[in-house]
Amino acid sequence: MKIESPHTDDLDLAIAASSFAALGSEQRLGVLRVLVRAGPDGLNIGTLGERSGVKGSTLTHHVKILAQAGLVKQARQGRSIICAAVAYDQIKSLSNFLLTACCADSTTACKDHDHG
C-alpha cells in the first residue's frame, strides 16, 4: 500500500512502519540521535556507547536493529567498528509521512503550526 502525497516520494507504508518500529525504543532513538549529531564520519562503538549511555551487548543489539531498518551502517576500520547514520533522506521522509496529511480532514485552517 502506497501513501501518496505531493510532498514526499510515495513512502511505502510497510517501510514507514518498519522504520518507526526500529525507532520505538528510547535507547535506539537516543543512539540514532547521537549518530545524526556525529555526521557522516560516524563514531566508533566505544564513543557511541559513552555518548548515548548504552553499552555492551545492549548497544550491539540496538545498532543491529537500526542497521536492519537501513537507518545505520557499520563498518570495520582496523580493529574498530564505526557506526554512522546513513538514511538522512529516510528520516526526513518519516517526518514528512506524518505531516503531509496534517489537518487534511480538519474543518478549520491549521494556522498555529508550520510543517517546515
Side-chain angles (χ1 to χ4, degrees):
M1 172 187 232
K2 293 271 186 187
I3 303 298
E4 299 198 13
S5 164
H7 303 291
T8 65
D9 293 328
D10 296 339
L11 183 62
D12 183 61
L13 186 60
I15 292 170
S18 174
S19 297
F20 280 120
L23 296 173
S25 154
E26 288 181 35
Q27 289 182 322
R28 282 193 295 275
L29 190 55
V31 166
L32 184 61
R33 286 185 74 197
V34 168
L35 290 173
V36 167
R37 289 178 58 95
D41 293 336
L43 298 169
N44 69 48
I45 200 80
T47 302
L48 176 58
E50 290 170 11
R51 292 188 185 175
S52 67
V54 182
K55 297 184 180 170
S57 62
T58 302
L59 178 59
T60 302
H61 170 74
H62 289 312
V63 169
K64 179 181 175 184
I65 291 171
L66 292 169
Q68 289 172 337
L71 299 170
V72 168
K73 73 174 180 177
Q74 299 179 77
R76 184 169 290 281
Q77 285 186 355
R79 299 184 77 190
S80 297
I81 296 175
I82 305 299
C83 300
V86 293
Y88 295 101
D89 289 341
Q90 184 177 352
I91 295 166
K92 186 173 182 177
S93 291
L94 289 171
S95 173
N96 289 339
F97 175 79
L98 293 175
L99 294 175
T100 56
C102 182
C103 306
D105 296 332
S106 178
T107 58
T108 59
C110 296
K111 297 176 184 177
D112 62 343
H113 58 277
D114 182 23
H115 300 130

